[in-house]
Amino acid sequence: MTVDENLLNSLIDFTKSASSRFILHLKNNSYPLTKVQVTHSSIPVNEPTTRGGVYFSEKFAYKMKGTIEDLSVVPLLTKKMLGPNTEFGELKITTVIDVEGNQKNLEISTNLTNSVQTPDSIELSMIIVKLESV
């Protein structure tokens, strides 16, 4: 992943504020994404590798977690999950952050790596694959 490190660090700082607002866009619908966290951490590979011939994985990744309280999204996520699916798509998430006093519209593309459903919400674990200011 090649991204602007300063922009990514601004995003990480932004997610620590209580006022952060993220929107997941999926099949012409928008879902508020809450409790968003962005971290830079290692992943379980010893060297950069192609995972299952489907996507390339580095030793470290920018990970994103968030919660959706609208369970109608669950059927739409089945083809987006990495893993047993050979066909999956990126999730598009948008937000507006403040960078040095300027508002920036961000578009974040992620791969869904895991989801945990509770009776009233679903928590998504993702890897950021692209980050751009739009």
Side-chain angles (χ1 to χ4, degrees):
M1 177 180 82
T2 56
V3 297
D4 179 343
E5 292 288 328
N6 292 329
L7 189 59
L8 197 49
N9 288 328
S10 296
L11 177 64
I12 290 169
D13 292 340
F14 177 68
T15 60
K16 295 175 183 173
S17 74
S19 62
S20 59
R21 180 184 165 157
F22 292 82
I23 304 293
L24 170 68
H25 303 275
L26 194 58
K27 294 254 185 179
N28 299 321
N29 294 316
S30 297
Y31 302 92
L33 196 60
T34 60
K35 302 175 189 170
V36 174
Q37 299 174 332
V38 176
T39 58
H40 185 232
S41 60
S42 63
I43 57 174
V45 295
N46 295 329
E47 61 186 41
T49 183
T50 300
R51 309 268 318 243
V54 179
Y55 72 102
F56 187 75
S57 179
E58 295 285 347
K59 291 169 59 171
F60 291 90
Y62 288 95
K63 297 178 182 179
M64 183 175 201
K65 279 190 174 187
T67 302
I68 299 174
E69 295 178 358
D70 182 350
L71 295 180
S72 68
V73 74
V74 173
L76 302 175
L77 293 172
T78 56
K79 293 236 181 211
K80 301 291 183 180
M81 179 80 72
L82 292 177
N85 293 326
T86 56
E87 297 177 25
F88 63 89
E90 293 178 354
L91 297 178
K92 182 175 100 173
I93 299 166
T94 58
T95 191
V96 178
I97 67 170
D98 182 65
V99 178
E100 299 173 359
N102 296 318
Q103 298 288 311
K104 289 200 179 239
N105 293 312
L106 295 185
E107 186 172 293
I108 307 159
S109 297
T110 66
N111 288 138
L112 181 61
T113 57
N114 189 34
S115 64
V116 178
Q117 186 173 342
T118 66
D120 57 350
S121 67
I122 185 165
E123 181 183 85
L124 306 178
S125 297
M126 301 160 280
I127 293 177
I128 296 174
V129 294
K130 188 162 87 174
L131 172 67
E132 57 188 356
S133 181
V134 291

